[in-house]
Amino acid sequence: MKTKEQLIEFIQKQKVALIASVDEEGFPNMKAMFVPRKMEGNSFYFTTNTSSLRSQQYMKNPKASIYFYNKGRFKYEAVMLTGIMEVLQDEEIKREIWRDGDTMYYKQGVSDPDYCVLKFTAERGRHYCNFINKSFCMEELE
């Protein structure tokens, strides 16, 4: 990954994000989700249920990782980011992230107590492409 712009561009093209949390015994837990609904600076915003296992784990231990990949016919490219995940209940961010059709998951709408926003703030990452791995700090990206 050469620039932050290229990182964001790569992530926006993906259909799935894998997010990881840490359970009470210190083991990583992975889950596939839709890609972030909002990306701003080093922060990535997802929606989920407040009652979900992941949300509960992040409230206890905010250490997290997100992973995006593209498996082409001849090329595999991936980005893993590590950082901190916050569980947000703020009405303003919930409204901003809300989309038509979300009532399918959150029956009471934006104010549904079981609707929350996960805000992941990346600190560092690792990029893989063409058999080359490169680690980076988010501040180092242009």
Side-chain angles (χ1 to χ4, degrees), residues 2-142:
K2 295 176 184 165
T3 67
K4 194 176 289 188
E5 186 177 296
Q6 289 171 320
L7 172 74
I8 299 300
E9 192 176 299
F10 173 77
I11 291 170
Q12 287 174 330
K13 290 179 182 175
Q14 308 319 310
K15 292 182 171 75
V16 174
L18 298 172
I19 68 169
S21 56
V22 180
D23 70 16
E24 292 166 351
E25 295 177 20
F27 289 98
N29 288 210
M30 299 287 292
K31 177 182 181 176
M33 291 186 68
F34 293 118
V35 292
R37 291 202 173 167
K38 176 182 175 182
M39 293 178 255
E40 182 177 74
N42 295 345
S43 297
F44 302 79
Y45 297 80
F46 302 86
T47 62
T48 195
N49 295 87
T50 310
S51 62
S52 73
L53 176 63
R54 248 13 108 232
S55 294
Q56 300 306 305
Q57 288 174 337
Y58 292 131
M59 286 185 224
K60 292 176 184 164
N61 184 345
K63 290 182 179 177
S65 179
I66 60 177
Y67 187 82
F68 304 92
Y69 69 95
N70 181 32
K71 182 186 176 297
R73 191 167 183 188
F74 299 105
K75 178 181 172 185
Y76 182 90
E77 184 173 6
V79 172
M80 180 198 62
L81 301 172
T82 56
I84 299 298
M85 188 77 81
E86 299 171 73
V87 180
L88 305 178
Q89 291 285 347
D90 178 71
E91 284 289 323
E92 190 175 323
I93 190 66
K94 287 169 69 170
R95 286 189 192 291
E96 183 180 344
I97 301 301
W98 186 265
R99 288 193 184 153
D100 291 338
D102 281 350
T103 50
M104 181 169 74
Y105 306 106
Y106 315 107
K107 302 295 182 211
Q108 297 174 42
V110 174
S111 59
D112 193 319
D114 200 34
Y115 165 56
C116 69
V117 173
L118 298 178
K119 177 186 179 187
F120 175 80
T121 303
E123 296 173 0
R124 56 189 165 273
R126 194 153 169 84
H127 176 250
Y128 172 84
C129 188
N130 295 329
F131 305 104
I132 298 170
N133 283 297
K134 289 200 176 177
S135 296
F136 57 89
C137 287
M138 291 302 288
E139 288 81 37
E140 293 171 358
L141 293 179
E142 302 168 14

